[in-house]
């Protein structure tokens, strides 16, 4: 079985969107084990807006268990994908492993997927912009899956 691991900061938004998008595109009998983790992963639930949007896309992340990135997870994964530049640097520095950015793997672009607070600095008072940005990330991750599928390692 080939293992794919998506990594972001908290394991409650970007890596989760990628995990469930890939699972939805692969189907249950794909021969891939797909997961996600966060470099910080401070305990918190998925935001209801993220949960609802992923459900609208046909995924059910209601049983998602947030987890922190560990050496064991990295070493057990055939492909580790970083959602942001800081994640890629963390994986290399901490575990000595190179991890492509999501957009690098899908499109050959050295372009991170920003977290909400990076893209919408006033997100706490501008909830509509934060929601719109989160939705756009989920849509772009979902749309990237055919490109990612074409580049997945096979065992």
């Amino acid at each position: 079985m080939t293992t794919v691991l998506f990594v972001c900061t908290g394991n409650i938004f970007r890596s989760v969107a990628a995990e469930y998008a890939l699972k939805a595109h692969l189907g249950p009998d794909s021969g891939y084990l797909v997961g996600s983790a966060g470099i910080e992963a401070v305990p918190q639930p998925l935001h209801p807006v993220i949960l609802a949007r992923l459900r609208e896309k046909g995924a059910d992340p209601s049983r998602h268990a947030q987890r922190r990135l560990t050496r064991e997870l990295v070493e057990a994964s055939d492909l580790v994908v970083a959602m942001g530049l800081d994640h890629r640097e963390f994986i290399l520095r901490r575990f000595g492993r190179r991890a492509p950015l999501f957009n690098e793997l899908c499109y050959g672009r050295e372009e991170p997927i920003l977290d909400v607070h990076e893209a919408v600095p006033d997100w706490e008072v501008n909830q509509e912009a934060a929601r719109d940005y989160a939705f756009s990330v989920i849509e772009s991750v979902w749309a990237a899956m055919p490109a990612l599928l074409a580049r997945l390692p096979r065992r």
Side-chain angles (χ1 to χ4, degrees):
M1 182 161 294
T2 302
T3 305
V4 179
L5 181 69
F6 296 100
V7 178
C8 71
T9 305
N11 193 216
I12 57 168
F13 171 40
R14 295 168 289 172
S15 62
V16 174
E19 173 187 353
Y20 285 90
L22 182 54
K23 285 178 176 177
H25 280 79
L26 287 170
D29 301 320
S30 69
Y32 287 90
L33 180 61
V34 181
S36 62
I39 64 172
E40 294 177 8
V42 177
Q44 58 189 309
L46 291 179
H47 193 281
V49 168
I50 303 301
L51 187 61
R53 182 57 111 189
L54 290 174
R55 283 184 174 146
E56 288 171 11
K57 301 297 284 178
D60 183 13
S62 60
R63 293 175 31 197
H64 172 71
Q66 183 185 29
R67 62 185 176 170
R68 186 180 296 257
L69 185 64
T70 64
R71 180 170 302 284
E72 293 75 29
L73 285 173
V74 170
E75 289 176 356
S77 299
D78 298 298
L79 176 63
V80 179
V81 181
M83 302 308 282
L85 295 169
D86 54 334
H87 311 126
R88 182 175 68 180
E89 292 165 12
F90 180 90
I91 295 163
L92 181 59
R93 187 178 64 249
R94 177 72 57 93
F95 306 113
R97 177 140 177 204
R98 295 193 184 280
L101 291 173
F102 181 86
N103 283 324
E104 179 183 10
L105 182 62
C106 296
Y107 303 118
R109 295 192 315 240
E110 185 80 7
E111 180 181 311
I113 296 179
L114 301 177
D115 204 351
V116 172
H117 74 277
E118 296 169 309
V120 184
D122 65 341
W123 68 271
E124 292 177 301
V125 295
N126 195 347
Q127 293 288 303
E128 185 176 339
R131 186 198 71 233
D132 290 349
Y133 176 73
F135 285 0
S136 75
V137 166
I138 292 169
E139 292 304 316
S140 69
V141 164
W142 224 268
M145 282 303 129
L148 191 142
L149 285 169
R151 291 165 181 84
L152 281 181
R154 307 230 187 268
R155 280 205 171 173

